[in-house]
Amino acid sequence: DGGITQSPKYLFRKEGQNVTLSCEQNLNHDAMYWYRQDPGQGLRLIYYSQIVNDFQKGDIAEGYSVSREKKESFPLTVTSAQKNPTAFYLCASRRAWGEQFFGPGTRLTVL
Amino acid sequence: AQSVTQLDSQVPVFEEAPVELRCNYSSSVSVYLFWYVQYPNQGLQLLLKYLSGSTLVKGINGFEAEFNKSQTSFHLRKPSVHISDTAEYFCAVSDTQGGSEKLVFGKGTKLTVNP
């Protein structure tokens, strides 16, 4: 079955560390997205990519970086510059008409 | 830029009661509209979508929504809720003139169904 996998499900980071969240899709979708979710804040867009080797900043890109070397993969790195990284991170890909299909999420906690 | 307002952050209801979750969006330009559901510690799942045509849209789990262009609203309804409907619900809009590149989400409504 086609879908999006995110790993790990839970991730713990020490202060000053960079960590990378994985997102893989086998839906053959061109566009992929990363969102951050905090309680009561809804979903906020971090980065998105419409095609391989190209990506754009979203609303809260500071302290994050991405790459898109393969159509199937869109990893997100949370750098030490992100001062408040504890959150639930969701990866998505886009189907037709703007509809997005979501992965199961990664919960990142700073120790 | 588009914005989405979900008027209620929390909605408590009793089992088998009807429910309406309200959603308004900012722009009257051509849009696609979506409702998603999120269970605790999971990703978002599409409930239903409006692309064009009939303004009454039916989705999964007995939910439906009505698109009202003049009021720029897309309220979600269910005639009789179950305990299992307890979740957070997100309304989202995609601007077709922007190529539907991005979805703009509301802040969510937590539905709690009590026995």
Side-chain angles (χ1 to χ4, degrees), chain A residues 9-10 33 35 37 40-43 45 48 50 88 90 94 97-104 107, chain B residues 32 34 36 38 41-46 49 51 88 90 94 99-103 105-108:
Chain A
K9 186 171 178 64
Y10 298 97
Y33 302 79
Y35 294 93
Q37 187 177 22
Q41 296 294 316
L43 275 71
L45 182 63
Y48 66 106
Q50 303 228 69
F88 191 53
L90 287 161
R94 191 179 79 225
W97 316 115
E99 177 188 340
Q100 292 184 16
F101 186 87
F102 285 82
R107 186 165 297 281
Chain B
Y32 300 137
F34 306 86
Y36 286 86
Q38 185 181 34
N41 292 312
Q42 295 186 25
L44 275 66
Q45 176 184 0
L46 184 70
K49 59 189 173 188
L51 304 179
E88 191 158 19
F90 291 93
S94 173
S100 301
E101 284 185 2
K102 294 188 283 186
L103 284 180
F105 287 87
K107 293 190 174 183

mmCIF file of all heavy atoms in Angstrom, chain A residues 9-10 33 35 37 40-43 45 48 50 88 90 94 97-104 107, chain B residues 32 34 36 38 41-46 49 51 88 90 94 99-103 105-108:
data_model
loop_
_atom_site.group_PDB
_atom_site.id
_atom_site.type_symbol
_atom_site.label_atom_id
_atom_site.label_comp_id
_atom_site.label_asym_id
_atom_site.label_seq_id
_atom_site.Cartn_x
_atom_site.Cartn_y
_atom_site.Cartn_z
ATOM 1 N N LYS A 9 9.455 7.583 15.566
ATOM 2 C CA LYS A 9 8.178 8.065 16.087
ATOM 3 C C LYS A 9 8.414 9.032 17.242
ATOM 4 O O LYS A 9 7.714 10.019 17.405
ATOM 5 C CB LYS A 9 7.324 6.890 16.552
ATOM 6 C CG LYS A 9 5.926 7.287 16.971
ATOM 7 C CD LYS A 9 5.068 6.057 17.212
ATOM 8 C CE LYS A 9 3.671 6.438 17.688
ATOM 9 N NZ LYS A 9 2.930 7.195 16.688
ATOM 10 N N TYR A 10 9.422 8.708 18.078
ATOM 11 C CA TYR A 10 9.807 9.575 19.185
ATOM 12 C C TYR A 10 11.300 9.863 19.080
ATOM 13 O O TYR A 10 12.085 8.974 18.763
ATOM 14 C CB TYR A 10 9.509 8.913 20.539
ATOM 15 C CG TYR A 10 8.053 8.627 20.761
ATOM 16 C CD1 TYR A 10 7.518 7.364 20.506
ATOM 17 C CD2 TYR A 10 7.195 9.623 21.236
ATOM 18 C CE1 TYR A 10 6.170 7.104 20.713
ATOM 19 C CE2 TYR A 10 5.856 9.366 21.445
ATOM 20 C CZ TYR A 10 5.344 8.114 21.182
ATOM 21 O OH TYR A 10 4.024 7.855 21.380
ATOM 22 N N TYR A 33 5.930 18.310 2.111
ATOM 23 C CA TYR A 33 5.813 19.401 3.079
ATOM 24 C C TYR A 33 6.246 18.927 4.462
ATOM 25 O O TYR A 33 6.058 17.759 4.817
ATOM 26 C CB TYR A 33 4.348 19.865 3.181
ATOM 27 C CG TYR A 33 3.766 20.320 1.875
ATOM 28 C CD1 TYR A 33 3.329 19.398 0.927
ATOM 29 C CD2 TYR A 33 3.645 21.674 1.581
ATOM 30 C CE1 TYR A 33 2.797 19.812 -0.281
ATOM 31 C CE2 TYR A 33 3.112 22.099 0.377
ATOM 32 C CZ TYR A 33 2.698 21.166 -0.549
ATOM 33 O OH TYR A 33 2.172 21.582 -1.747
ATOM 34 N N TYR A 35 5.506 20.207 8.503
ATOM 35 C CA TYR A 35 4.748 21.065 9.407
ATOM 36 C C TYR A 35 5.206 20.822 10.836
ATOM 37 O O TYR A 35 5.598 19.721 11.213
ATOM 38 C CB TYR A 35 3.254 20.742 9.345
ATOM 39 C CG TYR A 35 2.589 21.052 8.030
ATOM 40 C CD1 TYR A 35 2.468 20.079 7.044
ATOM 41 C CD2 TYR A 35 2.051 22.305 7.776
ATOM 42 C CE1 TYR A 35 1.838 20.347 5.840
ATOM 43 C CE2 TYR A 35 1.414 22.586 6.572
ATOM 44 C CZ TYR A 35 1.325 21.597 5.620
ATOM 45 O OH TYR A 35 0.697 21.872 4.431
ATOM 46 N N GLN A 37 3.582 21.145 14.730
ATOM 47 C CA GLN A 37 2.313 21.261 15.444
ATOM 48 C C GLN A 37 2.578 21.441 16.927
ATOM 49 O O GLN A 37 3.264 20.623 17.556
ATOM 50 C CB GLN A 37 1.439 20.025 15.202
ATOM 51 C CG GLN A 37 0.044 20.160 15.771
ATOM 52 C CD GLN A 37 -0.839 18.964 15.461
ATOM 53 O OE1 GLN A 37 -0.360 17.873 15.181
ATOM 54 N NE2 GLN A 37 -2.134 19.175 15.517
ATOM 55 N N GLY A 40 -2.828 23.891 20.400
ATOM 56 C CA GLY A 40 -3.592 25.112 20.202
ATOM 57 C C GLY A 40 -3.111 26.004 19.075
ATOM 58 O O GLY A 40 -3.673 27.084 18.850
ATOM 59 N N GLN A 41 -2.066 25.570 18.358
ATOM 60 C CA GLN A 41 -1.489 26.414 17.295
ATOM 61 C C GLN A 41 -1.823 25.930 15.896
ATOM 62 O O GLN A 41 -1.454 26.569 14.915
ATOM 63 C CB GLN A 41 0.034 26.478 17.449
ATOM 64 C CG GLN A 41 0.502 27.145 18.715
ATOM 65 C CD GLN A 41 0.146 28.609 18.745
ATOM 66 O OE1 GLN A 41 0.293 29.332 17.765
ATOM 67 N NE2 GLN A 41 -0.389 29.052 19.874
ATOM 68 N N GLY A 42 -2.470 24.811 15.771
ATOM 69 C CA GLY A 42 -2.703 24.268 14.449
ATOM 70 C C GLY A 42 -1.408 23.770 13.827
ATOM 71 O O GLY A 42 -0.459 23.424 14.530
ATOM 72 N N LEU A 43 -1.370 23.752 12.490
ATOM 73 C CA LEU A 43 -0.181 23.309 11.767
ATOM 74 C C LEU A 43 0.514 24.524 11.168
ATOM 75 O O LEU A 43 -0.122 25.349 10.509
ATOM 76 C CB LEU A 43 -0.572 22.345 10.644
ATOM 77 C CG LEU A 43 -0.745 20.878 11.015
ATOM 78 C CD1 LEU A 43 -2.000 20.678 11.842
ATOM 79 C CD2 LEU A 43 -0.805 20.025 9.752
ATOM 80 N N LEU A 45 3.685 25.716 8.635
ATOM 81 C CA LEU A 45 4.521 25.199 7.555
ATOM 82 C C LEU A 45 5.976 25.599 7.776
ATOM 83 O O LEU A 45 6.292 26.780 7.951
ATOM 84 C CB LEU A 45 4.011 25.738 6.220
ATOM 85 C CG LEU A 45 4.725 25.268 4.964
ATOM 86 C CD1 LEU A 45 4.569 23.753 4.783
ATOM 87 C CD2 LEU A 45 4.180 26.011 3.743
ATOM 88 N N TYR A 48 8.676 23.441 2.180
ATOM 89 C CA TYR A 48 8.038 22.571 1.217
ATOM 90 C C TYR A 48 8.878 22.478 -0.042
ATOM 91 O O TYR A 48 9.711 23.353 -0.317
ATOM 92 C CB TYR A 48 6.603 22.991 0.923
ATOM 93 C CG TYR A 48 6.422 24.324 0.230
ATOM 94 C CD1 TYR A 48 6.066 24.393 -1.096
ATOM 95 C CD2 TYR A 48 6.552 25.519 0.952
ATOM 96 C CE1 TYR A 48 5.861 25.606 -1.725
ATOM 97 C CE2 TYR A 48 6.359 26.739 0.337
ATOM 98 C CZ TYR A 48 6.005 26.782 -0.998
ATOM 99 O OH TYR A 48 5.806 27.987 -1.619
ATOM 100 N N GLN A 50 8.490 21.346 -4.213
ATOM 101 C CA GLN A 50 7.568 20.983 -5.292
ATOM 102 C C GLN A 50 8.207 20.029 -6.281
ATOM 103 O O GLN A 50 7.514 19.409 -7.101
ATOM 104 C CB GLN A 50 7.104 22.247 -6.025
ATOM 105 C CG GLN A 50 6.451 23.247 -5.098
ATOM 106 C CD GLN A 50 5.154 23.757 -5.658
ATOM 107 O OE1 GLN A 50 4.165 23.037 -5.765
ATOM 108 N NE2 GLN A 50 5.172 25.020 -6.020
ATOM 109 N N PHE A 88 5.453 18.342 17.745
ATOM 110 C CA PHE A 88 5.067 17.202 16.919
ATOM 111 C C PHE A 88 5.278 17.622 15.467
ATOM 112 O O PHE A 88 4.794 18.670 15.050
ATOM 113 C CB PHE A 88 3.600 16.861 17.189
ATOM 114 C CG PHE A 88 3.135 15.555 16.619
ATOM 115 C CD1 PHE A 88 3.804 14.376 16.880
ATOM 116 C CD2 PHE A 88 2.002 15.497 15.829
ATOM 117 C CE1 PHE A 88 3.364 13.158 16.369
ATOM 118 C CE2 PHE A 88 1.543 14.280 15.311
ATOM 119 C CZ PHE A 88 2.228 13.121 15.584
ATOM 120 N N LEU A 90 5.042 16.861 11.399
ATOM 121 C CA LEU A 90 4.268 16.104 10.416
ATOM 122 C C LEU A 90 4.808 16.350 9.019
ATOM 123 O O LEU A 90 5.070 17.481 8.624
ATOM 124 C CB LEU A 90 2.803 16.521 10.462
ATOM 125 C CG LEU A 90 2.030 16.025 11.666
ATOM 126 C CD1 LEU A 90 0.765 16.837 11.869
ATOM 127 C CD2 LEU A 90 1.682 14.545 11.501
ATOM 128 N N ARG A 94 1.576 16.024 -1.601
ATOM 129 C CA ARG A 94 0.385 16.621 -2.197
ATOM 130 C C ARG A 94 -0.148 15.785 -3.347
ATOM 131 O O ARG A 94 0.585 15.432 -4.271
ATOM 132 C CB ARG A 94 0.672 18.031 -2.707
ATOM 133 C CG ARG A 94 -0.599 18.779 -3.079
ATOM 134 C CD ARG A 94 -0.294 20.183 -3.559
ATOM 135 N NE ARG A 94 0.174 20.180 -4.946
ATOM 136 C CZ ARG A 94 1.215 20.885 -5.361
ATOM 137 N NH1 ARG A 94 1.918 21.600 -4.524
ATOM 138 N NH2 ARG A 94 1.569 20.859 -6.637
ATOM 139 N N TRP A 97 -5.419 18.744 -6.742
ATOM 140 C CA TRP A 97 -6.326 19.752 -6.213
ATOM 141 C C TRP A 97 -5.918 20.271 -4.833
ATOM 142 O O TRP A 97 -6.746 20.764 -4.080
ATOM 143 C CB TRP A 97 -7.767 19.221 -6.145
ATOM 144 C CG TRP A 97 -8.187 18.478 -7.352
ATOM 145 C CD1 TRP A 97 -8.502 17.160 -7.430
ATOM 146 C CD2 TRP A 97 -8.314 18.983 -8.688
ATOM 147 N NE1 TRP A 97 -8.819 16.823 -8.712
ATOM 148 C CE2 TRP A 97 -8.713 17.913 -9.517
ATOM 149 C CE3 TRP A 97 -8.121 20.252 -9.260
ATOM 150 C CZ2 TRP A 97 -8.930 18.070 -10.873
ATOM 151 C CZ3 TRP A 97 -8.346 20.406 -10.617
ATOM 152 C CH2 TRP A 97 -8.741 19.326 -11.408
ATOM 153 N N GLY A 98 -4.646 20.160 -4.510
ATOM 154 C CA GLY A 98 -4.175 20.720 -3.251
ATOM 155 C C GLY A 98 -4.300 19.802 -2.049
ATOM 156 O O GLY A 98 -3.799 20.111 -0.970
ATOM 157 N N GLU A 99 -5.001 18.678 -2.206
ATOM 158 C CA GLU A 99 -5.174 17.762 -1.083
ATOM 159 C C GLU A 99 -3.831 17.204 -0.635
ATOM 160 O O GLU A 99 -3.012 16.803 -1.452
ATOM 161 C CB GLU A 99 -6.090 16.612 -1.493
ATOM 162 C CG GLU A 99 -6.284 15.550 -0.430
ATOM 163 C CD GLU A 99 -7.040 14.343 -0.959
ATOM 164 O OE1 GLU A 99 -7.730 14.471 -1.988
ATOM 165 O OE2 GLU A 99 -6.919 13.259 -0.352
ATOM 166 N N GLN A 100 -3.618 17.171 0.673
ATOM 167 C CA GLN A 100 -2.363 16.641 1.193
ATOM 168 C C GLN A 100 -2.605 15.373 1.991
ATOM 169 O O GLN A 100 -3.621 15.225 2.660
ATOM 170 C CB GLN A 100 -1.652 17.695 2.041
ATOM 171 C CG GLN A 100 -1.164 18.860 1.187
ATOM 172 C CD GLN A 100 -0.368 19.873 1.971
ATOM 173 O OE1 GLN A 100 0.089 19.623 3.086
ATOM 174 N NE2 GLN A 100 -0.164 21.043 1.370
ATOM 175 N N PHE A 101 -1.615 14.466 1.875
ATOM 176 C CA PHE A 101 -1.664 13.168 2.539
ATOM 177 C C PHE A 101 -0.560 13.162 3.583
ATOM 178 O O PHE A 101 0.590 13.478 3.272
ATOM 179 C CB PHE A 101 -1.447 12.072 1.496
ATOM 180 C CG PHE A 101 -1.617 10.687 2.011
ATOM 181 C CD1 PHE A 101 -2.872 10.101 2.031
ATOM 182 C CD2 PHE A 101 -0.533 9.957 2.467
ATOM 183 C CE1 PHE A 101 -3.039 8.808 2.509
ATOM 184 C CE2 PHE A 101 -0.699 8.676 2.951
ATOM 185 C CZ PHE A 101 -1.955 8.104 2.966
ATOM 186 N N PHE A 102 -0.910 12.806 4.827
ATOM 187 C CA PHE A 102 0.014 12.985 5.938
ATOM 188 C C PHE A 102 0.631 11.683 6.421
ATOM 189 O O PHE A 102 0.007 10.616 6.387
ATOM 190 C CB PHE A 102 -0.706 13.651 7.111
ATOM 191 C CG PHE A 102 -0.938 15.108 6.895
ATOM 192 C CD1 PHE A 102 -2.012 15.550 6.138
ATOM 193 C CD2 PHE A 102 -0.079 16.045 7.437
ATOM 194 C CE1 PHE A 102 -2.222 16.895 5.918
ATOM 195 C CE2 PHE A 102 -0.280 17.399 7.229
ATOM 196 C CZ PHE A 102 -1.350 17.827 6.461
ATOM 197 N N GLY A 103 1.857 11.794 6.948
ATOM 198 C CA GLY A 103 2.491 10.708 7.643
ATOM 199 C C GLY A 103 2.036 10.659 9.093
ATOM 200 O O GLY A 103 1.263 11.512 9.544
ATOM 201 N N PRO A 104 2.536 9.675 9.868
ATOM 202 C CA PRO A 104 2.086 9.487 11.248
ATOM 203 C C PRO A 104 2.723 10.434 12.254
ATOM 204 O O PRO A 104 2.267 10.513 13.396
ATOM 205 C CB PRO A 104 2.478 8.038 11.547
ATOM 206 C CG PRO A 104 3.652 7.797 10.658
ATOM 207 C CD PRO A 104 3.408 8.578 9.413
ATOM 208 N N ARG A 107 7.448 12.858 17.254
ATOM 209 C CA ARG A 107 7.409 13.745 18.418
ATOM 210 C C ARG A 107 8.831 13.968 18.897
ATOM 211 O O ARG A 107 9.509 13.024 19.296
ATOM 212 C CB ARG A 107 6.546 13.160 19.528
ATOM 213 C CG ARG A 107 6.374 14.144 20.692
ATOM 214 C CD ARG A 107 5.257 13.749 21.618
ATOM 215 N NE ARG A 107 3.946 13.739 20.993
ATOM 216 C CZ ARG A 107 3.209 14.825 20.762
ATOM 217 N NH1 ARG A 107 3.660 16.013 21.099
ATOM 218 N NH2 ARG A 107 2.024 14.706 20.223
ATOM 219 N N TYR B 32 -10.336 25.479 -2.841
ATOM 220 C CA TYR B 32 -10.684 24.111 -2.498
ATOM 221 C C TYR B 32 -10.680 24.035 -0.974
ATOM 222 O O TYR B 32 -9.849 24.645 -0.318
ATOM 223 C CB TYR B 32 -9.666 23.117 -3.062
ATOM 224 C CG TYR B 32 -9.527 23.129 -4.554
ATOM 225 C CD1 TYR B 32 -8.274 23.074 -5.158
ATOM 226 C CD2 TYR B 32 -10.641 23.165 -5.387
ATOM 227 C CE1 TYR B 32 -8.125 23.074 -6.539
ATOM 228 C CE2 TYR B 32 -10.504 23.164 -6.764
ATOM 229 C CZ TYR B 32 -9.248 23.128 -7.337
ATOM 230 O OH TYR B 32 -9.104 23.127 -8.699
ATOM 231 N N PHE B 34 -11.120 21.638 2.721
ATOM 232 C CA PHE B 34 -10.883 20.312 3.275
ATOM 233 C C PHE B 34 -11.176 20.303 4.773
ATOM 234 O O PHE B 34 -10.990 21.306 5.466
ATOM 235 C CB PHE B 34 -9.408 19.905 3.074
ATOM 236 C CG PHE B 34 -8.930 19.981 1.648
ATOM 237 C CD1 PHE B 34 -8.436 21.174 1.130
ATOM 238 C CD2 PHE B 34 -8.978 18.867 0.834
ATOM 239 C CE1 PHE B 34 -7.997 21.253 -0.183
ATOM 240 C CE2 PHE B 34 -8.546 18.940 -0.484
ATOM 241 C CZ PHE B 34 -8.047 20.131 -0.992
ATOM 242 N N TYR B 36 -9.952 17.740 7.962
ATOM 243 C CA TYR B 36 -9.118 16.623 8.381
ATOM 244 C C TYR B 36 -9.432 16.286 9.837
ATOM 245 O O TYR B 36 -9.814 17.170 10.621
ATOM 246 C CB TYR B 36 -7.630 16.978 8.298
ATOM 247 C CG TYR B 36 -7.053 17.038 6.901
ATOM 248 C CD1 TYR B 36 -7.139 18.207 6.143
ATOM 249 C CD2 TYR B 36 -6.403 15.938 6.349
ATOM 250 C CE1 TYR B 36 -6.594 18.266 4.871
ATOM 251 C CE2 TYR B 36 -5.857 15.987 5.074
ATOM 252 C CZ TYR B 36 -5.955 17.151 4.342
ATOM 253 O OH TYR B 36 -5.409 17.210 3.075
ATOM 254 N N GLN B 38 -7.700 14.364 13.361
ATOM 255 C CA GLN B 38 -6.455 13.874 13.956
ATOM 256 C C GLN B 38 -6.763 13.223 15.298
ATOM 257 O O GLN B 38 -7.280 13.886 16.208
ATOM 258 C CB GLN B 38 -5.459 15.008 14.149
ATOM 259 C CG GLN B 38 -4.107 14.548 14.658
ATOM 260 C CD GLN B 38 -3.135 15.691 14.876
ATOM 261 O OE1 GLN B 38 -3.519 16.787 15.251
ATOM 262 N NE2 GLN B 38 -1.841 15.427 14.647
ATOM 263 N N ASN B 41 -1.683 11.694 18.893
ATOM 264 C CA ASN B 41 -0.366 11.186 18.481
ATOM 265 C C ASN B 41 -0.365 10.506 17.116
ATOM 266 O O ASN B 41 0.422 9.586 16.868
ATOM 267 C CB ASN B 41 0.188 10.226 19.536
ATOM 268 C CG ASN B 41 0.543 10.953 20.817
ATOM 269 O OD1 ASN B 41 1.212 11.984 20.788
ATOM 270 N ND2 ASN B 41 0.067 10.443 21.920
ATOM 271 N N GLN B 42 -1.270 10.952 16.241
ATOM 272 C CA GLN B 42 -1.312 10.420 14.886
ATOM 273 C C GLN B 42 -1.266 11.567 13.883
ATOM 274 O O GLN B 42 -1.373 12.736 14.236
ATOM 275 C CB GLN B 42 -2.580 9.592 14.667
ATOM 276 C CG GLN B 42 -2.647 8.333 15.517
ATOM 277 C CD GLN B 42 -3.850 7.478 15.172
ATOM 278 O OE1 GLN B 42 -4.370 7.531 14.063
ATOM 279 N NE2 GLN B 42 -4.287 6.678 16.128
ATOM 280 N N GLY B 43 -1.092 11.200 12.622
ATOM 281 C CA GLY B 43 -1.152 12.190 11.559
ATOM 282 C C GLY B 43 -2.580 12.588 11.251
ATOM 283 O O GLY B 43 -3.523 12.113 11.892
ATOM 284 N N LEU B 44 -2.737 13.471 10.265
ATOM 285 C CA LEU B 44 -4.067 13.919 9.865
ATOM 286 C C LEU B 44 -4.627 12.996 8.795
ATOM 287 O O LEU B 44 -3.907 12.541 7.904
ATOM 288 C CB LEU B 44 -4.002 15.346 9.304
ATOM 289 C CG LEU B 44 -4.063 16.483 10.311
ATOM 290 C CD1 LEU B 44 -2.840 16.504 11.208
ATOM 291 C CD2 LEU B 44 -4.218 17.813 9.582
ATOM 292 N N GLN B 45 -5.941 12.774 8.892
ATOM 293 C CA GLN B 45 -6.638 11.924 7.922
ATOM 294 C C GLN B 45 -7.740 12.754 7.267
ATOM 295 O O GLN B 45 -8.485 13.450 7.962
ATOM 296 C CB GLN B 45 -7.235 10.718 8.657
ATOM 297 C CG GLN B 45 -8.061 9.786 7.797
ATOM 298 C CD GLN B 45 -8.706 8.677 8.607
ATOM 299 O OE1 GLN B 45 -8.550 8.595 9.822
ATOM 300 N NE2 GLN B 45 -9.443 7.801 7.934
ATOM 301 N N LEU B 46 -7.858 12.673 5.964
ATOM 302 C CA LEU B 46 -8.872 13.444 5.261
ATOM 303 C C LEU B 46 -10.264 12.912 5.564
ATOM 304 O O LEU B 46 -10.538 11.723 5.418
ATOM 305 C CB LEU B 46 -8.621 13.383 3.756
ATOM 306 C CG LEU B 46 -9.570 14.224 2.908
ATOM 307 C CD1 LEU B 46 -9.305 15.709 3.099
ATOM 308 C CD2 LEU B 46 -9.447 13.846 1.428
ATOM 309 N N LYS B 49 -13.770 16.705 1.252
ATOM 310 C CA LYS B 49 -13.226 17.842 0.517
ATOM 311 C C LYS B 49 -14.281 18.413 -0.419
ATOM 312 O O LYS B 49 -15.166 17.691 -0.902
ATOM 313 C CB LYS B 49 -11.997 17.425 -0.295
ATOM 314 C CG LYS B 49 -12.274 16.323 -1.312
ATOM 315 C CD LYS B 49 -10.973 15.799 -1.915
ATOM 316 C CE LYS B 49 -11.247 14.585 -2.810
ATOM 317 N NZ LYS B 49 -9.987 13.942 -3.262
ATOM 318 N N LEU B 51 -14.330 20.502 -3.935
ATOM 319 C CA LEU B 51 -13.562 20.999 -5.074
ATOM 320 C C LEU B 51 -14.450 21.839 -5.986
ATOM 321 O O LEU B 51 -14.046 22.906 -6.457
ATOM 322 C CB LEU B 51 -12.961 19.829 -5.855
ATOM 323 C CG LEU B 51 -12.074 18.862 -5.040
ATOM 324 C CD1 LEU B 51 -11.557 17.736 -5.928
ATOM 325 C CD2 LEU B 51 -10.928 19.609 -4.378
ATOM 326 N N GLU B 88 -9.353 15.743 17.228
ATOM 327 C CA GLU B 88 -9.221 17.139 16.833
ATOM 328 C C GLU B 88 -9.486 17.247 15.338
ATOM 329 O O GLU B 88 -9.040 16.413 14.554
ATOM 330 C CB GLU B 88 -7.836 17.686 17.166
ATOM 331 C CG GLU B 88 -7.729 19.189 17.013
ATOM 332 C CD GLU B 88 -6.590 19.805 17.803
ATOM 333 O OE1 GLU B 88 -5.666 19.075 18.197
ATOM 334 O OE2 GLU B 88 -6.634 21.035 18.024
ATOM 335 N N PHE B 90 -9.518 19.679 11.834
ATOM 336 C CA PHE B 90 -8.893 20.838 11.209
ATOM 337 C C PHE B 90 -9.556 21.143 9.878
ATOM 338 O O PHE B 90 -9.739 20.253 9.040
ATOM 339 C CB PHE B 90 -7.399 20.581 10.960
ATOM 340 C CG PHE B 90 -6.584 20.501 12.206
ATOM 341 C CD1 PHE B 90 -6.341 19.270 12.802
ATOM 342 C CD2 PHE B 90 -6.062 21.643 12.791
ATOM 343 C CE1 PHE B 90 -5.585 19.182 13.959
ATOM 344 C CE2 PHE B 90 -5.307 21.566 13.950
ATOM 345 C CZ PHE B 90 -5.072 20.332 14.537
ATOM 346 N N SER B 94 -7.247 25.704 0.215
ATOM 347 C CA SER B 94 -6.210 25.800 -0.802
ATOM 348 C C SER B 94 -6.655 26.813 -1.839
ATOM 349 O O SER B 94 -7.772 26.718 -2.358
ATOM 350 C CB SER B 94 -6.013 24.438 -1.446
ATOM 351 O OG SER B 94 -5.129 24.516 -2.543
ATOM 352 N N GLY B 99 -2.199 28.127 -7.434
ATOM 353 C CA GLY B 99 -1.743 26.828 -7.909
ATOM 354 C C GLY B 99 -1.911 25.716 -6.903
ATOM 355 O O GLY B 99 -1.354 24.628 -7.062
ATOM 356 N N SER B 100 -2.662 25.985 -5.843
ATOM 357 C CA SER B 100 -2.910 24.976 -4.799
ATOM 358 C C SER B 100 -1.614 24.444 -4.225
ATOM 359 O O SER B 100 -1.535 23.288 -3.819
ATOM 360 C CB SER B 100 -3.754 23.821 -5.371
ATOM 361 O OG SER B 100 -4.970 24.303 -5.860
ATOM 362 N N GLU B 101 -0.592 25.296 -4.196
ATOM 363 C CA GLU B 101 0.693 24.844 -3.670
ATOM 364 C C GLU B 101 0.626 24.526 -2.191
ATOM 365 O O GLU B 101 1.248 23.580 -1.732
ATOM 366 C CB GLU B 101 1.745 25.950 -3.863
ATOM 367 C CG GLU B 101 2.261 26.116 -5.264
ATOM 368 C CD GLU B 101 3.369 27.144 -5.318
ATOM 369 O OE1 GLU B 101 3.753 27.683 -4.261
ATOM 370 O OE2 GLU B 101 3.852 27.437 -6.422
ATOM 371 N N LYS B 102 -0.100 25.364 -1.458
ATOM 372 C CA LYS B 102 -0.103 25.238 -0.007
ATOM 373 C C LYS B 102 -1.526 25.156 0.532
ATOM 374 O O LYS B 102 -2.467 25.685 -0.064
ATOM 375 C CB LYS B 102 0.613 26.435 0.615
ATOM 376 C CG LYS B 102 2.087 26.495 0.292
ATOM 377 C CD LYS B 102 2.792 27.589 1.081
ATOM 378 C CE LYS B 102 2.536 28.949 0.526
ATOM 379 N NZ LYS B 102 3.344 29.977 1.219
ATOM 380 N N LEU B 103 -1.634 24.493 1.680
ATOM 381 C CA LEU B 103 -2.871 24.500 2.442
ATOM 382 C C LEU B 103 -2.691 25.448 3.624
ATOM 383 O O LEU B 103 -1.637 25.460 4.264
ATOM 384 C CB LEU B 103 -3.204 23.106 2.975
ATOM 385 C CG LEU B 103 -3.754 22.076 1.997
ATOM 386 C CD1 LEU B 103 -4.016 20.767 2.734
ATOM 387 C CD2 LEU B 103 -5.018 22.567 1.340
ATOM 388 N N PHE B 105 -4.264 26.119 7.264
ATOM 389 C CA PHE B 105 -5.051 25.387 8.257
ATOM 390 C C PHE B 105 -5.614 26.323 9.318
ATOM 391 O O PHE B 105 -4.973 27.309 9.708
ATOM 392 C CB PHE B 105 -4.181 24.336 8.955
ATOM 393 C CG PHE B 105 -3.847 23.151 8.099
ATOM 394 C CD1 PHE B 105 -2.741 23.174 7.263
ATOM 395 C CD2 PHE B 105 -4.639 22.010 8.125
ATOM 396 C CE1 PHE B 105 -2.433 22.081 6.465
ATOM 397 C CE2 PHE B 105 -4.331 20.915 7.335
ATOM 398 C CZ PHE B 105 -3.238 20.953 6.508
ATOM 399 N N GLY B 106 -6.783 25.986 9.819
ATOM 400 C CA GLY B 106 -7.270 26.591 11.035
ATOM 401 C C GLY B 106 -6.539 26.002 12.240
ATOM 402 O O GLY B 106 -5.766 25.051 12.112
ATOM 403 N N LYS B 107 -6.820 26.552 13.411
ATOM 404 C CA LYS B 107 -6.092 26.109 14.607
ATOM 405 C C LYS B 107 -6.680 24.857 15.239
ATOM 406 O O LYS B 107 -6.152 24.358 16.226
ATOM 407 C CB LYS B 107 -6.015 27.247 15.620
ATOM 408 C CG LYS B 107 -5.142 28.387 15.126
ATOM 409 C CD LYS B 107 -4.850 29.407 16.211
ATOM 410 C CE LYS B 107 -3.861 30.435 15.670
ATOM 411 N NZ LYS B 107 -3.472 31.423 16.699
ATOM 412 N N GLY B 108 -7.763 24.365 14.685
ATOM 413 C CA GLY B 108 -8.308 23.107 15.144
ATOM 414 C C GLY B 108 -9.427 23.256 16.153
ATOM 415 O O GLY B 108 -9.499 24.245 16.891
#
